[in-house]
């Protein structure tokens, strides 16, 4: 197993934590106000265990099916872990997602609101919910368009009885992420939302400057990922 004290993921985790703390200090934010989510998608339990052993407790996955296979044993052994879904969610997997995850970052359409409200009611447990904003209005990307965000957030609350906690964005890969982070923060502020899920390995320090409360960091902790098969699985 891959849990030697000199496991490279440990020094990478430490380096990410130090960079995040430094980014907080540089803009006068409390480092405790930023939650580091270790994005473990594609990595097996053997690669995750040393990161848990190093004290990391918040993890993120992008697929329900993979999480179902990988996490129940890890969670049973470490009951204080929390798990975040950061990938697109099909309505027919809403019940599984509510059972598996402590937070869902990809609420993005009315049909999913219906499915989640039903699953939350049935399971008697509610993950923290983030609405995903498609800040770049990219046709292939999930998320609510910025101009539709206010009405959608209001509908989540009024029509579906869902508690929305924050917003999430994934800026277009080939653009400066700064305006996308700024736009997401602005939409959150005018809707009374305090949590911002933004920033990945390449840009989490910038995201912190724009108010990120949840940074989603994968390769900077776990190393280069094998390619994933196309969605859906
Ligand atoms: C994979 C993924 C990440 C992590 O990406 P890295 O560049 O490896 O840090 C963050 N957010 C989402 C939505 C992802 O799918």
């Amino acid at each position: 197993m891959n849990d030697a004290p000199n496991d490279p993921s440990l020094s990478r985790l430490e380096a990410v934590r130090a960079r995040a703390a430094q980014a907080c200090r540089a803009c006068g934010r409390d480092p405790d106000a930023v939650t580091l989510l270790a994005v473990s998608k594609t990595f097996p339990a053997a690669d995750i265990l040393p990161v848990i052993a190093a004290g990391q407790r918040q993890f993120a996955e992008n697929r329900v099916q993979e999480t179902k296979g990988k996490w129940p044993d890890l969670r049973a052994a470490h009951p204080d872990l929390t798990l975040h879904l950061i990938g697109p969610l099909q309505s027919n997997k809403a019940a599984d997602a509510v059972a598996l995850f402590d937070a869902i970052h990809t609420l993005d359409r009315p049909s999913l609101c219906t499915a989640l409200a039903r699953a939350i009611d049935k399971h008697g447990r509610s993950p923290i919910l983030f609405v995903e904003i498609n800040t770049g209005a990219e046709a292939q990307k999930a998320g609510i368009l910025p101009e539709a965000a206010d009405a959608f957030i209001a509908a989540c609350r009024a029509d579906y009885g869902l508690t929305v906690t924050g917003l999430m964005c994934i800026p277009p890969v080939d653009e400066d992420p700064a305006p996308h982070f700024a736009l997401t923060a602005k939409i959150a502020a005018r809707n009374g939302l305090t949590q911002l899920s933004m920033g990945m390995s390449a840009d989490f320090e910038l995201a912190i400057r724009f108010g990120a409360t949840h940074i989603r960091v994968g390769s900077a902790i776990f190393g280069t990922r094998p390619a994933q098969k196309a969605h859906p699985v």
Side-chain angles (χ1 to χ4, degrees), residues 1 9 44 52 89 118 126 159 177 179 191 199 211 214 222 232-233:
M1 201 159 63
S9 67
I52 296 174
L89 177 58
R118 200 174 292 150
S126 183
D159 301 345
N191 285 281
H214 293 70
F222 288 98
V233 293

Side-chain angles (χ1 to χ4, degrees), residues 40-45 48 61 66-72 74:
S40 49
K41 64 188 185 196
T42 76
F43 290 97
I48 298 170
E61 291 280 343
E66 179 180 338
T67 304
K68 239 175 146 173
K70 211 158 83 179
W71 279 94
L74 288 167

Side-chain angles (χ1 to χ4, degrees), residues 4-194:
N6 61 351
D7 187 291
S9 67
L10 300 191
S11 50
R12 286 191 297 247
L13 175 67
E14 282 315 311
V16 167
R17 282 183 182 154
R19 283 168 55 193
Q22 177 55 35
C24 287
R25 281 193 294 274
C27 62
R29 295 187 61 201
D30 177 358
D32 290 341
V34 177
T35 300
L36 170 62
L37 305 179
V39 179
S40 49
K41 64 188 185 196
T42 76
F43 290 97
D47 291 337
I48 298 170
L49 280 167
V51 178
I52 296 174
Q56 177 65 26
R57 287 295 175 269
Q58 320 253 16
F59 290 84
E61 291 280 343
N62 70 338
R63 296 195 178 168
V64 171
Q65 210 58 34
E66 179 180 338
T67 304
K68 239 175 146 173
K70 211 158 83 179
W71 279 94
D73 288 352
L74 288 167
R75 263 188 178 300
H78 305 277
D80 58 336
L81 296 181
T82 65
L83 209 46
H84 296 244
L85 176 64
I86 59 170
L89 177 58
Q90 295 169 263
S91 295
N92 64 4
K93 296 208 170 106
D96 280 343
V98 165
L100 284 165
F101 291 99
D102 303 291
I104 295 173
H105 293 234
T106 50
L107 181 53
D108 68 347
R109 60 193 189 279
S111 59
L112 184 56
C113 291
T114 304
L116 280 174
R118 200 174 292 150
I120 288 166
D121 195 40
K122 189 165 158 231
H123 284 265
R125 125 181 249 279
S126 183
I128 292 167
L129 300 176
F130 293 79
V131 168
E132 180 176 353
I133 309 294
N134 185 355
T135 56
E138 295 173 278
Q140 83 286 5
K141 206 171 260 178
I144 290 282
L145 291 173
E147 59 269 28
D150 295 353
F152 180 71
I153 294 161
C156 286
R157 293 164 165 162
D159 301 345
Y160 302 97
L162 295 173
T163 302
V164 177
T165 293
L167 301 182
M168 179 269 219
C169 75
I170 309 171
V173 283
D174 50 356
E175 286 183 28
D176 175 5
H180 298 275
F181 295 153
L183 176 59
T184 306
K186 189 170 143 195
I187 297 170
R190 71 175 181 239
N191 285 281
L193 299 171
T194 55

